[in-house]
Amino acid sequence: MGKLDNKVAIVTGGSRGIGAASALALADEGADVAISYSSSADQAKAVVADLEAKGVRAAAFQADQADATQAADLIRRVVEQFGKLDILVNNAAVSGGGLVGSELVDHAAIERQLAVNYTSVVAGIQTAVPLLPDGGRIVSISSGVAARAGFQGMAYYTGTKSALEGFSRGAARDLAHRGITVNVVQPGFIDTEGNPADSPAASMFLPTAAMGRYGRPEEIAAGVVFLASPQASYVTGAVLRIDGGYSA
């Protein structure tokens, strides 16, 4: 028996990295899992195969998380196929930015980042709320930079993650009467395809983490599973920092 038997979860951006690890960890606890992806169809297919090998139902859905309409429709498509939704994990995100005031800032990229990291997450949550049962779970993946920017050129990315955390706190208040919890996981530097531990930038990042190493996607996934579990029924509006001491 798993903690999440008979539950249905969706993990946005679940084809790789933290999203894939979270999907697999939810399945390990018995949840049926849907993942979304933007362009990496082959990776998404592989994750679905790994999920099904654990004996759960699984499916991948293509959606551009920069489009709030697609983000909302994704929720409806999952419920149509799986019959319900118990757990929403908002993981899809993009990063980027530049120095505030610089003429080199790509404003189109900044707008897309805001759409993916905040606007579409809100659209997905708004769509999910009437479909979630009482006691449902909403978990959003933020970033350690929301607590501590740490470096130049992070203002735009930090802004989107800080907005997400603020919205989550407000939503936790609004949904508490139904027992729906809304929480945030705040990772530090995690060894993923987009930010590998052996990248040239690692020498700059590592000294900022008290533990002196990159985290593993599975370490973030463990936090996601906890917040999605019955054991976290009295945790809402919280930010769970899994950052190796970046914020210490």
Side-chain angles (χ1 to χ4, degrees), residues 15 28 35 56 58 94 136 147 151 153 168 178 181 201 205 225 234-235 242:
S15 65
D28 282 337
I35 64 170
V56 304
V94 294
F151 306 93
S168 297
R178 291 184 53 200
T181 65
F205 295 151
V225 169
Y234 199 57
V235 181
I242 310 177

Side-chain angles (χ1 to χ4, degrees), residues 149-162:
F151 306 93
Q152 290 184 321
M154 300 300 295
Y156 297 102
Y157 181 57
T158 295
T160 64
K161 292 302 189 178
S162 297

Side-chain angles (χ1 to χ4, degrees), residues 151-203:
F151 306 93
Q152 290 184 321
M154 300 300 295
Y156 297 102
Y157 181 57
T158 295
T160 64
K161 292 302 189 178
S162 297
L164 174 61
E165 293 189 9
F167 179 85
S168 297
R169 288 192 293 271
R173 286 277 181 180
D174 291 350
L175 300 175
H177 70 287
R178 291 184 53 200
I180 296 174
T181 65
V182 186
N183 292 293
V184 170
V185 174
Q186 196 181 84
F189 299 109
I190 308 302
D191 186 11
T192 62
E193 182 179 316
N195 184 28
D198 59 357
S199 70
S203 61

Side-chain angles (χ1 to χ4, degrees), residues 92-230:
V94 294
S95 62
L99 296 173
V100 174
S102 170
E103 296 179 354
L104 301 178
V105 170
D106 184 340
H107 291 285
I110 295 301
E111 289 299 317
R112 178 176 175 79
Q113 181 174 240
L114 178 62
V116 173
N117 296 1
Y118 178 71
T119 308
S120 290
V121 175
V122 172
I125 291 173
Q126 289 175 322
T127 304
V129 165
L131 301 172
L132 286 168
D134 291 355
R137 299 285 189 263
I138 299 172
V139 182
S140 296
I141 308 301
S142 180
S143 169
V145 300
R148 174 175 177 259
F151 306 93
Q152 290 184 321
M154 300 300 295
Y156 297 102
Y157 181 57
T158 295
T160 64
K161 292 302 189 178
S162 297
L164 174 61
E165 293 189 9
F167 179 85
S168 297
R169 288 192 293 271
R173 286 277 181 180
D174 291 350
L175 300 175
H177 70 287
R178 291 184 53 200
I180 296 174
T181 65
V182 186
N183 292 293
V184 170
V185 174
Q186 196 181 84
F189 299 109
I190 308 302
D191 186 11
T192 62
E193 182 179 316
N195 184 28
D198 59 357
S199 70
S203 61
M204 176 177 66
F205 295 151
L206 285 178
T208 68
M211 295 189 73
R213 69 169 176 87
Y214 271 52
R216 301 183 302 275
E218 294 76 15
E219 292 175 305
I220 307 305
V224 171
V225 169
F226 167 68
L227 293 173
S229 73

Side-chain angles (χ1 to χ4, degrees), residues 227-244:
L227 293 173
S229 73
Q231 286 72 23
S233 57
Y234 199 57
V235 181
T236 196
V239 175
L240 176 58
R241 293 177 178 170
I242 310 177
D243 65 0

